[in-house]
Amino acid sequence: MTGLILIGVFFSLLILRVPVAASMGLAAFAGIVQMGYKISVFPTVFYAAIAKYTMLAIPFFILAGVIMDHAGISKRLINLANACVGHRRGGLAVVTVIVACFFAAISGSGPATVAAIGGVLIPAMSKQGYDKNFATALVASSGGIGMIIPPSIPFVVYGVLTGTSVSDLFIAGVIPGVTIGLALMAVAYVISKKEGYPRMSGLPTFKHVVKTFAGSIWALFVPIIILGGIYGGIFTPTESAVVATVYALFVGKFIYKELNYEVTMTAFKDAVLVIGATLFMVGLATSFASYLAMERIPIRIGGFILGYAHSKFLVLLFMNIIFLIIGCFVDNISSTIILTPIFLPIVKQLGMDPIQFGMMISIALAIGFSTPPYGCNLFISATISKQSVGAIAKRLVPFILAMIVCLQLFTYIPWFSLALLGR
C-alpha cells in the first residue's frame, strides 16, 4: 500500500508540473507518514545520501568546469579544433562534437558542456551558413557526451550506489564516449554534405595551426592531468576533481590571465547554484529510492520482468525502452538512484557485469537530456540560440537515432565497456 502511495504521489505531482526533485521529496515524505516513522527520519536519510567522501567529486568537477569556461579554456579548444578540421565540408559541425568530447573530459556534466560550447559555436555555425536549428540540435546532442566520457558525474553516483569502483567506471567510459562522439560526427558530416553547408575559405597555414596549438596547450593538459592521474593511481577520482579545480584557477589567473576577482566570483556563484540544485536532487532522490526499497518494490518489479521475459535479449531490450522513456521525464541522476536498485539484481542474474550495466543505464538516460519534455540540454541550447524547441527537436532525430544504435552496441557487446579493464 505504501509503495502505491509513493509512486502515486510522485507521478501525480509530475503531472501537475511540480519539479522532479520536489515531487520525489514530497512522495518520500508521504511514505514516511504512511509507514508511521518519525519525521526526523527524512533529514537523516537525506544527509546520509550526500555525506559521502566520493560524493565530493560532484561539486568539485562542477566547479572546475565552470571555472574553465570562464577562464577561456573552452574557447581555446574550439579555436584549435577549428584550425585542424574547420576547413572541411561540415568541419565546424565536426568541431562542435570534438570540443564537446574535450570539455566532457573536464566538467563531467552534460548541461555544463552545452553551456560552455553552445554560446560560442551556435552563433559561429549560424554565421557561417549552417541552419540554426541544426546547429542547436547538434550542440544539445553533443552535450550528452559530457555524461559519458570520464570524469562523469552519473558514474560517480552509480559507483556510490552500487559499491562499484568509480575509477573502473571512468576507464570503461572512454570507448563508449569516443564511439558516440564518432557516431555524432558521422551524422553531422553526412547532413552537412547533403545540405551543402559551407566550408572555410581555404586551408589554414601551418603557422596558424602551430600558433593555435601553442595557445591551447594548457587547455589540452586538463583531461591528461585528470584522467592520467586517476588511471596512473596518483590520486582518486575525488582528489582529481580538486586538482582540476586548482589547475583551472592557476591557468585562468596566471597563464591565460582571464580570471580577475569579479570573473572568479561570478564563476563561483554560478557553480554554487548548480551544485546546490544537484546535491539537493541527489538527497531527495535517494530518500525516495530508500522508501521504495523498504516496500520491496524493486524485488517485485524484478520478479515480474523475469517471469514474463524469458530471454536475455528481451530483458535488456525492455530495460533500454524503460530507461529511454523515463529519461524523457526525469533527470539522469534521480533516475539512476531510483532505477539501479531495481534493475541491477536482474542483470546480475543474467550474467552482466555491473560496469557494463553502469554504461548501459548512464548512456540511455543521457539520451533523455536531449529529448523533450525534460531535455535539459535541449532547453539550454534553445535558450542560447533563441529557437523553437519543436523545430530543434525535429533536427535532433538523426542524432538521437545514432545514439540509440550505439546504446544497443554497448548493451549487447561487453567489449565496448570492459575492454580497457581487461575483462
Side-chain angles (χ1 to χ4, degrees), residues 279-317:
L279 293 182
F280 184 68
M281 192 178 300
V282 169
L284 292 177
T286 304
S287 302
F288 182 74
S290 297
Y291 296 114
L292 285 179
M294 288 179 189
E295 287 297 298
R296 299 173 60 84
I297 300 297
I299 296 174
R300 295 175 189 175
I301 294 175
F304 175 81
I305 293 173
L306 292 176
Y308 284 90
H310 301 292
S311 75
K312 180 177 179 179
F313 176 86
L314 289 178
V315 172
L316 295 178
L317 180 62

Side-chain angles (χ1 to χ4, degrees), residues 179-180 319-321 323-324 359-365 367 400-413:
T179 302
I180 290 177
M319 288 184 186
N320 272 332
I321 293 171
F323 297 158
L324 289 170
M359 297 300 111
M360 172 182 156
I361 189 171
S362 297
I363 292 163
L365 295 174
I367 295 173
I400 297 300
L401 291 176
M403 295 176 75
I404 291 176
V405 169
C406 290
L407 173 62
Q408 304 317 304
L409 293 177
F410 310 143
T411 299
Y412 295 107
I413 305 177

Side-chain angles (χ1 to χ4, degrees), residues 54-287:
T54 308
M55 293 294 286
L56 281 173
I58 294 177
F60 277 109
F61 275 129
I62 292 173
L63 177 59
V66 173
I67 291 174
M68 288 174 188
D69 183 31
H70 284 75
I73 289 177
S74 57
K75 177 175 63 179
R76 285 166 174 82
L77 290 173
I78 291 171
N79 292 339
L80 176 61
N82 202 29
C84 294
V85 299
H87 60 280
R88 297 182 177 275
R89 177 78 66 186
L92 198 53
V94 173
V95 165
T96 299
V97 182
I98 293 174
V99 174
C101 291
F102 269 103
F103 201 82
I106 295 172
S107 68
S109 166
T113 301
V114 171
I117 69 174
V120 177
L121 283 168
I122 292 176
M125 292 176 72
S126 178
K127 186 177 180 180
Q128 200 176 103
Y130 288 80
D131 176 72
K132 203 167 188 179
N133 289 322
F134 166 81
T136 308
L138 178 59
V139 168
S141 56
S142 298
I145 302 173
M147 291 168 279
I148 303 164
I149 286 184
S152 163
I153 291 174
F155 288 173
V156 175
V157 174
Y158 177 84
V160 171
L161 277 175
T162 62
T164 307
S165 167
V166 176
S167 296
D168 285 352
L169 288 166
F170 281 4
I171 294 171
V174 173
I175 292 178
V178 171
T179 302
I180 290 177
L182 292 172
L184 294 179
M185 287 182 209
V187 172
Y189 174 76
V190 170
I191 294 175
S192 298
K193 190 172 182 180
K194 179 182 177 181
E195 301 194 8
Y197 291 141
R199 66 181 83 194
M200 285 170 43
S201 56
L203 284 169
T205 64
F206 178 74
K207 182 179 179 181
H208 174 68
V209 174
V210 171
K211 183 179 179 181
T212 306
F213 177 80
S216 308
I217 192 70
W218 289 94
L220 294 173
F221 272 133
V222 176
I224 295 174
I225 291 172
I226 295 174
L227 303 182
I230 294 172
Y231 302 159
I234 300 172
F235 37 69
T236 66
T238 303
E239 291 165 348
S240 74
V242 179
V243 171
T245 302
V246 174
Y247 181 84
L249 288 169
F250 174 79
V251 172
K253 177 64 177 177
F254 299 106
I255 306 299
Y256 294 151
K257 298 181 180 179
E258 295 195 17
L259 285 182
N260 54 30
Y261 177 79
E262 290 76 15
V263 174
T264 303
M265 292 307 298
T266 299
F268 271 88
K269 289 177 182 177
D270 292 345
V272 166
L273 291 175
V274 178
I275 291 167
T278 301
L279 293 182
F280 184 68
M281 192 178 300
V282 169
L284 292 177
T286 304
S287 302

